[in-house]
Amino acid sequence: MGAAARSRPGGAAPPLAERVIPWLLGAIVAGSVLAIGAVHTPTLALVSAVVAIAAALSLRASALAGEPSPVKALPALTLLGLTAYTLLQAAPLPLAWLERLSPASADIWSRSLMPLGEAAPRYASVSLDPGATLVEAVKWLTYTGVFITAAFVGARRGAKLGITLVFGSAFLAALTTIAHGLLGATTVFGLYQPRFSVASWHVGPLLNPNNLAGYLNLGILSGVGLLLTSRPLLPPWVAGVGLTTIVGVGIIASSRGGLLVLPLGLALFALLSRRRRGRHRSGPRGRGAAAWLLSVAIGGGALLAALAATNRTLAEMADDNLDKLSLFRSTLPLLADHWLLGIGRGAFETVFPAYRQSPGNIVFTHAENVVIQWAAEWGAPVAAASLVALGVAFRPGKIALRASTAALGAWVGCAVLVLQNLFDLGLEVPGVSIALAATLGSLWGEAHGERPRHEAPAGAPGPERRRPWQAAACAAASALALVSLMVRFGWRDVDHDRRSLRAQSDAGAASGAGWPRFREELRAAILRHPAEPYFPLLGAVAALRGSGESPIPWLQRTLERSRRHGRAHLLLAEVLASRGAKEQALLSLRLAVEDDPGVTDTAAVLARQWTHTWEELLRAVPEGKAGVEVLERMATAGDRRQEVDLRLRCAEEAIARDRARVGAHWAAGDALLAMLEAPGSARCGGDDGRRAACEREIEAHAAAVQGLDDDSFFAVQLRARLLLLGKKSAEAEQLLSGSCERLDNRAGCLRLRVVAAAQMASSEKLLPALRELLSASCTTLAACAATSTWAGDLLAAREDYPSAVTYYARAAQDEPTEERLLKLADAASRAGAHIEASKALERLLQRRGGQDPALRKRVLEEKAKALAPSLSP
């Protein structure tokens, strides 16, 4: 039965409340996605409040019309059941009860306060992040309200209206993403600054490409159905333009999952649509429209994507990173520990670090698989039951797929979105799930809203007409109460607490007199997120800075809750080294590098500081190729003129493990050059035979670097330095002048060319080389000043003071410092430019507030020298 057949008796206009409900639904669907997907608690609270009002109005209108309450439908009952269960997960229980219900969760709670030397809390919840679980409860109540509202709209006006609203919302999301891309925006709507790096053409209301692609896929298939339906609500050209835009942005999003499931969805739609046309014996008109749609969606959308695509877009599409498979495997032990009641909805981010197997300082907020996510957070029994219930409720036989092509396209879009979430996290974003609930609710309402209604007469007794109001008011009040509970206890999420406490720690609030207060805030954060490893790490940092407590208990808790935490192992190494346990400290450095390659540089520097023997140094190096980067960094750490033998051994060991390391070959050649410069070197000093052998080794390393990377400056640098060491400055300058333009470090090459030109007997090539170096280096004022200072130092060392004055003056102009002004004054005085010297000294005196008598005396002396020639007879 269509929407027209469901008009009110006698053609009477519906009440104002009923006319407002579709507008509210549209505002909810579009507003939730445009407001950054409603992922932030304040935005979610506002959206949820509007949903509560819309759902209450829908329940009242249904009750007044004598219709069955949508709350009693299987989908709504399932969603309400999940809301209630999620709320129960956040409820505090006596710890003894929790030990019987969920031993793994109880163990985490019982050990949470150990770093502070306190006993376990008396009460604890099943959830290991109760605040986040409250937020999730509000989300699921919101989805329930959206479903009820959309079902009411679908029952009264047909599913096409709700589907059109979702399609329009997807078009708005695509349009705003295009606008941000054209403007080169880095903030959303000029207001919201993303906390992570976002590529161009990805800035928009849905910042994650996978979330955006999933949302747009739902819009694409909804638009396909609307365009092919017999009585569309939108003109065909409007739907065509919207569809082209959504397809183009969907491709630009570069989501591999989204691009994979979209063709499957279109194929499924074509198959089901053909079967439907066969039953309805539709003519060729439908097939012609389908061909036109295909040309618009693929041709126009692909053209739009091609115009906006960048190299980064193509690289993202071709990325073969399969880290998600490792994520899925790592989640299995978590499921085994918490299979019955789960860890609490929203707690995955804080609990998962204890099970993460992949190295790196990475935070996984979700399991990237809807089934695993639900099983981990709700427990396997509830997750399985909810999946079965929702699958049964929304199976094709229960949805109005035969009513129109629009319904068929929307249902396929929902199926595609769910399929993508087997390897993406889109459904964890409220804006995406709200669109899904609105679509399914509209389909459900049209399929189950065909029963005759028995409206209460206008003059019915008061109590009979008040009951719908009372029920609706009770439902709205309950929803708003839960929203208030979320705002009270859930707004301080784990990311907020991390950033807040880190800022306090960096500001010095965690040391000295501020430690007790910081300790209390740390304790409160731990009780809000008992499984999070970051807060004990902050406690360890504060303890190491001198809070008076031992950092060991804090680090122990961090490593309990995050087995692969490189920064915790690095901090532990520093603690052990400060206590004289050098061997254990080196082993901790090795574990730090294995767990987080990002700490390699720091670990290599610390290892070189703590030991000067090869055998001990190897304790900090992982086995096999995993240790190559550490060895390479050890070969370049510290003063390269000291411990050259140890540096060379590190470089040679790195090459033995991986001959394709450019940095290791350069480090070996650099160490050999240092040995050639040292006359007492055992390996390269002494007779000519040893020197010749070292020179051949240096050339071999240079050749290896060139073979691995022909554009690398390292090969040319080694050869030029070898020539300079052999007093062949002209050959070195010629080699460099012919190579610098093609090398990856042009500025470094030009600087070495200046050094070579400075060693030549003639200054013919020195000044041109300096001008070219300055031109290449002046990318910023600071860089230009630094290069000018270096050039001035080089010329002053050659006693070419007039030329040195030129470069010192340039440096003092670009970035004046006391050191540069003093160098300018000294060079100018030596060059006889006493006026220039006095001006530089006056600027220096002004910077010192005019309170330096010695400097004032020197200013007068320089002025006197400047006047001396004019006073001579």
Side-chain angles (χ1 to χ4, degrees):
M1 184 179 295
R6 298 182 199 148
S7 60
R8 297 176 65 86
L16 177 61
E18 292 188 28
R19 298 199 300 272
V20 167
I21 291 172
W23 290 96
L24 288 176
L25 180 62
I28 291 164
V29 173
S32 63
V33 69
L34 293 178
I36 324 296
V39 296
H40 300 99
T41 303
T43 308
L44 177 63
L46 178 61
V47 171
S48 300
V50 176
V51 170
I53 295 170
L57 292 175
S58 301
L59 290 173
R60 174 186 173 275
S62 297
L64 285 175
E67 298 172 349
S69 174
V71 175
K72 298 179 181 179
L74 178 59
L77 286 174
T78 303
L79 295 174
L80 282 174
L82 291 173
T83 301
Y85 178 72
T86 304
L87 194 57
L88 286 174
Q89 285 185 307
L93 303 170
L95 190 59
W97 293 12
L98 187 61
E99 288 175 353
R100 295 188 177 186
L101 294 172
S102 180
S105 295
D107 179 69
I108 292 172
W109 277 105
S110 65
R111 299 176 62 83
S112 60
L113 298 178
M114 286 181 62
L116 293 98
E118 298 183 21
R122 295 177 57 191
Y123 293 89
S125 60
V126 169
S127 171
L128 294 169
D129 197 329
T133 303
L134 279 175
V135 174
E136 290 296 324
V138 171
K139 287 183 185 180
W140 283 90
L141 186 62
T142 302
Y143 305 153
T144 307
V146 172
F147 174 83
I148 290 171
T149 305
F152 173 80
V153 172
R156 294 296 174 91
R157 303 197 180 186
K160 290 179 186 176
L161 179 56
I163 297 169
T164 302
L165 292 175
V166 172
F167 173 71
S169 179
F171 175 64
L172 283 175
L175 206 58
T176 52
T177 303
I178 290 176
H180 283 80
L182 291 174
L183 295 173
T186 57
T187 58
V188 183
F189 303 121
L191 300 173
Y192 176 72
Q193 178 64 54
R195 294 174 188 163
F196 53 90
S197 175
V198 182
S200 58
W201 292 99
H202 286 180
V203 177
L206 292 178
L207 293 163
N208 184 290
N210 296 324
N211 300 343
L212 178 62
Y215 197 88
L216 296 184
N217 283 347
L218 175 60
I220 290 170
L221 287 156
S222 297
V224 169
L226 288 171
L227 193 58
L228 293 178
T229 195
S230 57
R231 287 179 290 179
L233 297 181
L234 295 174
W237 70 269
V238 173
V241 170
L243 195 57
T244 301
T245 305
I246 298 172
V247 169
V249 177
I251 296 173
I252 297 170
S254 309
S255 167
R256 290 174 294 168
L259 292 174
L260 175 66
V261 299
L262 180 58
L264 298 177
L266 291 172
L268 178 62
F269 173 80
L271 177 63
L272 296 178
S273 181
R274 176 175 296 180
R275 292 178 59 185
R276 182 179 178 277
R277 286 200 306 269
R279 285 195 298 268
H280 289 76
R281 295 188 176 90
S282 59
R285 182 176 178 274
R287 290 191 294 273
W292 177 82
L293 168 64
L294 186 63
S295 65
V296 170
I298 296 179
L303 178 61
L304 179 64
L307 292 174
T310 63
N311 291 334
R312 179 168 178 173
T313 304
L314 299 175
E316 288 172 346
M317 292 181 185
D319 186 10
D320 59 355
N321 191 312
L322 299 177
D323 284 347
K324 290 183 181 180
L325 298 180
S326 173
L327 173 61
F328 298 159
R329 289 194 300 269
S330 300
T331 311
L332 296 179
L334 188 155
L335 293 173
D337 288 345
H338 301 270
W339 70 273
L340 183 59
L341 299 179
I343 59 176
R345 278 294 276 160
F348 184 88
E349 180 177 352
T350 61
V351 178
F352 181 69
Y355 300 90
R356 180 171 61 86
Q357 298 174 4
S358 57
N361 186 28
I362 306 170
V363 175
F364 290 96
T365 59
H366 299 86
E368 303 280 353
N369 178 288
V370 65
V371 178
I372 295 177
Q373 184 85 24
W374 288 12
E377 295 186 336
W378 273 326
V382 171
S386 60
L387 287 169
V388 170
L390 293 173
V392 170
F394 296 118
R395 68 186 187 276
K398 284 286 185 179
I399 302 295
L401 299 187
R402 299 181 182 180
S404 68
T405 307
L408 178 62
W411 184 87
V412 173
C414 293
V416 164
L417 178 58
V418 173
L419 178 62
Q420 182 185 346
N421 275 264
L422 293 178
F423 35 86
D424 280 331
L425 57 84
L427 291 180
E428 296 300 316
V429 176
V432 177
S433 289
I434 284 172
L436 179 65
T439 304
L440 292 174
S442 299
L443 296 175
W444 180 275
E446 183 172 46
H448 296 81
E450 300 179 356
R451 299 182 182 88
R453 300 188 300 274
H454 304 286
E455 297 189 57
E464 185 177 346
R465 295 194 60 82
R466 281 200 302 269
R467 284 196 198 95
W469 271 115
Q470 292 170 351
C474 182
S478 300
L480 293 175
L482 183 55
V483 171
S484 301
L485 196 65
M486 175 195 71
V487 173
R488 171 65 179 84
F489 295 103
W491 70 274
R492 296 194 67 167
D493 59 25
V494 66
D495 183 61
H496 173 279
D497 280 340
R498 287 193 199 113
R499 289 184 291 107
S500 174
L501 290 170
R502 173 64 185 271
Q504 293 182 47
S505 177
D506 291 345
S511 57
W515 167 244
R517 181 177 177 182
F518 182 79
R519 194 177 189 273
E520 283 302 311
E521 293 195 21
L522 205 57
R523 181 182 185 276
I526 290 173
L527 289 176
R528 285 191 291 270
H529 321 282
E532 171 61 33
Y534 187 70
F535 304 128
L537 183 64
L538 284 178
V541 171
L544 196 61
R545 288 176 179 173
S547 69
E549 295 189 11
S550 170
I552 297 296
W554 295 94
L555 289 171
Q556 180 181 358
R557 181 60 181 169
T558 300
L559 294 171
E560 280 181 8
R561 297 311 313 156
S562 181
R563 297 175 185 176
R564 305 206 67 173
H565 203 302
R567 282 161 174 77
H569 281 296
L570 192 66
L571 197 60
L572 179 60
E574 294 188 59
V575 174
L576 292 171
S578 67
R579 298 183 178 185
K582 184 167 63 175
E583 290 189 6
Q584 292 89 334
L586 292 170
L587 179 59
S588 291
L589 288 182
R590 174 177 176 174
L591 294 174
V593 172
E594 290 176 345
D595 289 346
D596 185 3
V599 304
T600 296
D601 285 0
T602 305
V605 171
L606 290 175
R608 287 287 309 275
Q609 289 176 358
W610 294 341
T611 182
H612 305 284
T613 66
W614 172 247
E615 291 73 17
E616 289 184 341
L617 203 61
L618 277 180
R619 295 180 185 273
V621 180
E623 296 289 339
K625 288 192 175 183
V628 171
E629 190 171 349
V630 186
L631 289 164
E632 186 176 277
R633 185 65 185 92
M634 285 177 175
T636 58
D639 189 342
R640 298 210 309 269
R641 292 172 298 179
Q642 297 178 355
E643 299 181 349
V644 180
D645 292 339
L646 190 59
R647 286 181 45 237
L648 180 59
R649 193 159 185 180
C650 289
E652 289 177 340
E653 177 65 20
I655 294 169
R657 297 189 186 191
D658 184 358
R659 302 193 66 82
R661 299 291 299 195
V662 169
H665 281 290
W666 174 83
D670 181 72
L672 289 167
L673 281 167
M675 290 179 178
L676 280 175
E677 292 174 352
S681 170
R683 180 160 179 172
C684 297
D687 57 40
D688 293 340
R690 290 179 182 175
R691 294 185 62 84
C694 281
E695 290 175 359
R696 287 194 296 271
E697 285 187 63
I698 294 169
E699 173 56 36
H701 287 301
V705 171
Q706 185 175 0
L708 292 168
D709 184 1
D710 188 51
D711 295 331
S712 174
F713 168 53
F714 286 154
V716 174
Q717 185 209 47
L718 291 176
R719 287 169 175 153
R721 288 171 60 192
L722 185 59
L723 288 170
L724 290 174
L725 200 60
K727 309 299 183 183
K728 300 177 181 178
S729 53
E731 293 181 33
E733 194 279 335
Q734 185 178 4
L735 170 65
L736 292 162
S737 62
S739 305
C740 289
E741 291 301 322
R742 66 176 180 82
L743 299 180
D744 55 8
N745 185 3
R746 180 169 176 262
C749 181
L750 290 172
R751 179 172 291 207
L752 187 57
R753 180 190 170 193
V754 170
V755 172
Q759 292 184 12
M760 295 173 66
S762 171
S763 299
E764 178 184 356
K765 295 187 178 182
L766 176 57
L767 293 180
L770 279 170
R771 286 194 294 270
E772 192 172 354
L773 170 63
L774 205 62
S775 175
S777 301
C778 285
T779 54
T780 64
L781 287 178
C784 194
T787 303
S788 298
T789 303
W790 178 87
D793 291 343
L794 183 141
L795 292 167
R798 288 171 54 88
E799 299 184 356
D800 185 358
Y801 296 112
S803 299
V805 168
T806 302
Y807 287 96
Y808 284 141
R810 173 73 181 269
Q813 179 184 353
D814 289 339
E815 193 177 64
T817 63
E818 290 193 5
E819 181 185 6
R820 286 170 181 155
L821 289 170
L822 194 58
K823 285 184 176 184
L824 173 59
D826 290 341
S829 181
R830 290 172 181 266
H834 299 294
I835 294 294
E836 183 81 14
S838 65
K839 289 181 179 179
L841 291 171
E842 283 179 336
R843 289 176 64 187
L844 182 57
L845 183 63
Q846 187 177 7
R847 289 173 67 93
R848 294 180 179 179
Q851 301 301 317
D852 190 333
L855 191 60
R856 185 181 296 277
K857 179 182 178 182
R858 187 174 171 188
V859 171
L860 295 175
E861 290 175 351
E862 291 295 335
K863 288 183 176 180
K865 290 178 182 179
L867 292 173
S870 62
L871 297 176
S872 59

